[in-house]
Amino acid sequence: MSIRNAMRLSAVTALLVGSLMAVHSQSGQAPFTIRRPQDGSTVRENVRVEIPRASIGRGGFVAIYLDNKFELALAPDPDDDASKPFTFAWDTKANKVSDGEHSVRAVLYEPASGSGVAVNQKGSSEVRLTVANKITDGPSSLLLRYKNREGDELDYERLGKSLIVGGVSEMGKSTGDQILASVRSKLRFDVQDVRFDSDRGVDVSLVRNKLTELAILQSGQEVTLDPGQLSNSMYQELSPQGNVFYETGTAAGLAEFMQVGLPVNNTLELPELPTGREEIGATWTTERQRLDIPGLPPALQPRVTLRNKLEDLEWESGYPTARIHQTYSGTPPNSKAIQFGPINVTSPTVIFERDIYVAYNSGKLIKTTRTLTVKGRTTAILDPSEAASGAAGGFPGSGGYPGSSGSPGSGGLAGYPMTPGMPGGYPGSGGAAGGRSGGYPGSSGSSASGGYPGSGGGSGSGGYPGSGGGGRTRTQAAAPRKALTIREMMASRGGSGMVSGLSTGMATEGMKDKAVVLQAVTTTQLLGAHADETTATVRPAAVKSVKRIAPKKRHK
């Protein structure tokens, strides 16, 4: 080929390429491809799959296939910035994806020309990735310890929900699960002091547990409590193993638990770690551990012996962690009945499972996931359609924590007498002397004395807490637009509603005894957990001694 012909060919090629680029630029549609992660990459935990936004035309959507199985379809917002990638978050741990090679395929669909319904496949892209959540090159054995440092302030988020399990509970016409409530809270774990205890031979940490946020979702409405009205702090002296040497404020949060009866806990409840060095697969037991049953403050939680197993080493929130699995099954000691939120369960069997993720380098609790199931019998109304009939007394009524004066047994649990009630009751229809239709706090409830659970001493069926009166029906109540105090929350919500009243374990005598299965699912997660840890954090040992560390009074 002559030099002249070569130059002509080069000019023609450049012209064609320029024309194609101009057409592509005018259409605004980039090549459809998975740009990140790249094919052959090793990934873990949350995987961010990125596709050029400009490659998806107006009205188009992307179907995601994992290992050739359809996962979901996503459509971008038409107003999205085209310069930013379109993303899909693949949570390999939440979806329990096994370690090893997996495929991620994205398929682009866009509306067919001249049709507002039909779509055509416009593109497809696939990458093969190696998932590696487990740590294969970690230590063969571990001496797990919490490494608290004076001045540390760790914030945790806790998400919990409690429900009546459908299908196995006798719920009348209802067959599906019935959500009792969902709770979102934040808790600060504040290390006030760390000193060496020469008698025990270990560092002793003074820590403060403080509930800083609490939002409750019930009957489709979320209420955020005023931070100033949350429970006082609980102080604890802890060993590096997590043993509690001393604690104060064990009744802190009693008002919240009593009045709300929800899966709320105002303490971090550090799981107790094994005494010595353990290898993967090792098992041990920990005695006198609190169960965290919804609606009961720490002081009233049953204590049991948990079985533990060091399952594996794996990545969690960017930290190399040891995963411990805890289990318990049986009837807690001295528990002929268990109060699960608003429902009293007799002849209970408790099944407890919890996974614990402890960062073995930094000594931090990273995450816990817990499922607690209570099986037994109850006379509470479980079918929402029955709740409107007014058969049971529900939550409204005055009284104290276990109730006003009454003979032993009818007044509910012994101890914790409280002042006469909050405005309104909790849910449920009015009882014998409980006034007109009850609701979230219920309408006026006369002066029926409350019980925790059953009837109070005087007359009228039992109430959960709170005095009668002050409540409004749901049709009258406006949705809250600000943070509320507990008193305001209880006063502002009313109506017969679906009685979280499912009413409650405070059922009157003569109600049918029925099977019930209740469940509480809770996840506690360290906030701000992100950076990979590859080396142990070393700090000099303290040389101070302490017999008893008093809480710092300036903190509430």
Side-chain angles (χ1 to χ4, degrees):
M1 179 183 296
S2 67
I3 294 177
R4 179 176 295 180
N5 290 338
M7 293 177 64
R8 288 175 178 173
L9 179 60
S10 177
V12 171
T13 302
L15 180 61
L16 288 173
V17 171
S19 299
L20 288 173
M21 291 180 66
V23 171
H24 177 71
S25 176
Q26 291 173 7
S27 67
Q29 198 147 339
F32 182 81
T33 182
I34 296 176
R35 288 188 175 176
R36 288 191 179 88
Q38 296 181 353
D39 187 48
S41 298
T42 297
V43 298
R44 63 172 183 253
E45 300 194 70
N46 291 300
V47 182
R48 181 184 172 97
V49 180
E50 297 184 1
I51 298 169
R53 172 63 183 88
S55 68
I56 306 170
R58 182 169 292 274
F61 64 90
V62 179
I64 302 295
Y65 294 81
L66 302 177
D67 293 328
N68 293 319
K69 294 181 180 179
F70 174 76
E71 180 71 12
L72 80 167
L74 299 169
D77 190 316
D79 298 325
D80 283 349
D81 186 348
S83 65
K84 296 181 179 179
F86 177 72
T87 62
F88 158 64
W90 181 30
D91 191 339
T92 61
K93 297 198 71 174
N95 291 287
K96 299 182 178 179
V97 178
S98 62
D99 278 15
E101 189 175 85
H102 298 271
S103 66
V104 178
R105 179 161 54 96
V107 180
L108 172 63
Y109 293 93
E110 293 184 355
S113 300
S115 172
V117 179
V119 294
N120 289 333
Q121 179 176 328
K122 288 292 186 177
S124 179
S125 181
E126 180 175 319
V127 293
R128 300 197 70 81
L129 308 171
T130 299
V131 175
N133 285 320
K134 293 184 179 180
I135 299 172
T136 58
D137 57 352
S140 58
S141 64
L142 292 169
L143 181 63
L144 293 172
R145 292 294 181 265
Y146 297 115
K147 300 175 183 178
N148 295 324
R149 300 161 189 81
E150 184 174 341
D152 280 355
E153 291 185 346
L154 304 179
D155 291 309
Y156 289 84
E157 181 178 56
R158 179 172 286 144
L159 303 176
K161 67 177 180 180
S162 58
L163 55 93
I164 304 173
V165 180
V168 290
S169 299
E170 296 180 42
M171 299 170 59
K173 298 178 182 178
S174 299
T175 57
D177 293 348
Q178 295 289 342
I179 301 295
L180 291 172
S182 298
V183 170
R184 173 173 48 83
S185 62
K186 289 184 180 179
L187 179 126
R188 173 158 292 182
F189 185 77
D190 181 6
V191 182
Q192 301 274 297
D193 199 2
V194 180
R195 299 182 182 180
F196 184 76
D197 188 321
S198 58
D199 292 339
R200 297 186 174 101
V202 296
D203 283 351
V204 175
S205 303
L206 173 67
V207 303
R208 180 180 70 129
N209 296 269
K210 175 61 178 176
L211 194 64
T212 58
E213 293 183 21
L214 177 59
I216 299 166
L217 177 65
Q218 196 167 44
S219 302
Q221 188 176 30
E222 183 175 272
V223 176
T224 300
L225 275 69
D226 188 321
Q229 297 298 316
L230 298 178
S231 58
N232 291 340
S233 301
M234 173 186 278
Y235 290 86
Q236 296 174 312
E237 282 185 347
L238 302 174
S239 75
Q241 189 183 341
N243 303 111
V244 179
F245 293 141
Y246 167 79
E247 61 185 15
T248 182
T250 54
L254 188 60
E256 286 84 353
F257 288 101
M258 178 187 68
Q259 293 156 10
V260 183
L262 299 171
V264 178
N265 192 339
N266 65 337
T267 60
L268 181 58
E269 295 287 352
L270 278 179
E272 190 173 313
L273 300 175
T275 303
R277 184 174 291 274
E278 301 290 356
E279 297 181 350
I280 306 300
T283 60
W284 67 94
T285 59
T286 49
E287 299 180 349
R288 291 187 52 75
Q289 301 301 297
R290 288 191 281 238
L291 278 180
D292 190 18
I293 294 174
L296 290 180
L300 298 182
Q301 290 290 342
R303 292 181 178 267
V304 300
T305 298
L306 300 178
R307 294 186 58 83
N308 307 265
K309 182 178 180 180
L310 180 53
E311 293 281 0
D312 224 326
L313 304 181
E314 58 186 73
W315 292 96
E316 179 58 51
S317 303
Y319 287 81
T321 66
R323 180 169 68 89
I324 300 171
H325 186 64
Q326 294 184 317
T327 59
Y328 169 79
S329 180
T331 300
N334 305 315
S335 297
K336 294 182 180 180
I338 286 178
Q339 192 70 34
F340 186 108
I343 298 177
N344 187 54
V345 182
T346 58
S347 304
T349 298
V350 176
I351 301 172
F352 175 96
E353 292 191 70
R354 179 167 63 175
D355 281 316
I356 303 164
Y357 299 85
V358 180
Y360 52 79
N361 287 332
S362 65
K364 295 178 182 177
L365 177 67
I366 304 301
K367 182 180 179 180
T368 65
T369 57
R370 184 220 64 181
T371 301
L372 182 142
T373 305
V374 177
K375 302 178 180 180
R377 311 289 298 181
T378 187
T379 56
I381 297 176
L382 304 181
D383 184 357
S385 64
E386 295 180 22
S389 66
F395 282 79
S398 64
Y401 178 62
S404 58
S405 60
S407 60
S410 62
L413 299 174
Y416 293 100
M418 302 296 289
T419 56
M422 310 295 288
Y426 189 83
S429 53
R436 297 187 298 276
S437 60
Y440 185 81
S443 57
S444 59
S446 300
S447 58
S449 56
Y452 179 78
S455 56
S459 62
S461 56
Y464 191 77
S467 60
R472 295 184 296 179
T473 62
R474 184 166 300 281
T475 56
Q476 296 171 315
R481 299 181 180 274
K482 64 181 182 68
L484 302 177
T485 65
I486 296 172
R487 181 177 298 272
E488 290 170 336
M489 181 186 74
M490 301 303 290
S492 66
R493 300 183 64 184
S496 52
M498 183 185 127
V499 263
S500 314
L502 295 173
S503 214
T504 77
M506 304 348 162
T508 56
E509 294 182 6
M511 295 297 294
K512 179 183 177 182
D513 182 66
K514 59 184 78 69
V516 65
V517 178
L518 305 168
Q519 195 169 79
V521 181
T522 306
T523 298
T524 302
Q525 174 82 53
L526 175 65
L527 296 175
H530 51 81
D532 292 353
E533 292 187 336
T534 55
T535 59
T537 303
V538 180
R539 65 183 176 89
V543 293
K544 305 171 185 177
S545 63
V546 61
K547 297 296 183 181
R548 177 71 63 223
I549 304 174
K552 297 181 179 181
K553 295 183 179 180
R554 67 176 181 271
H555 295 286
K556 183 180 178 181

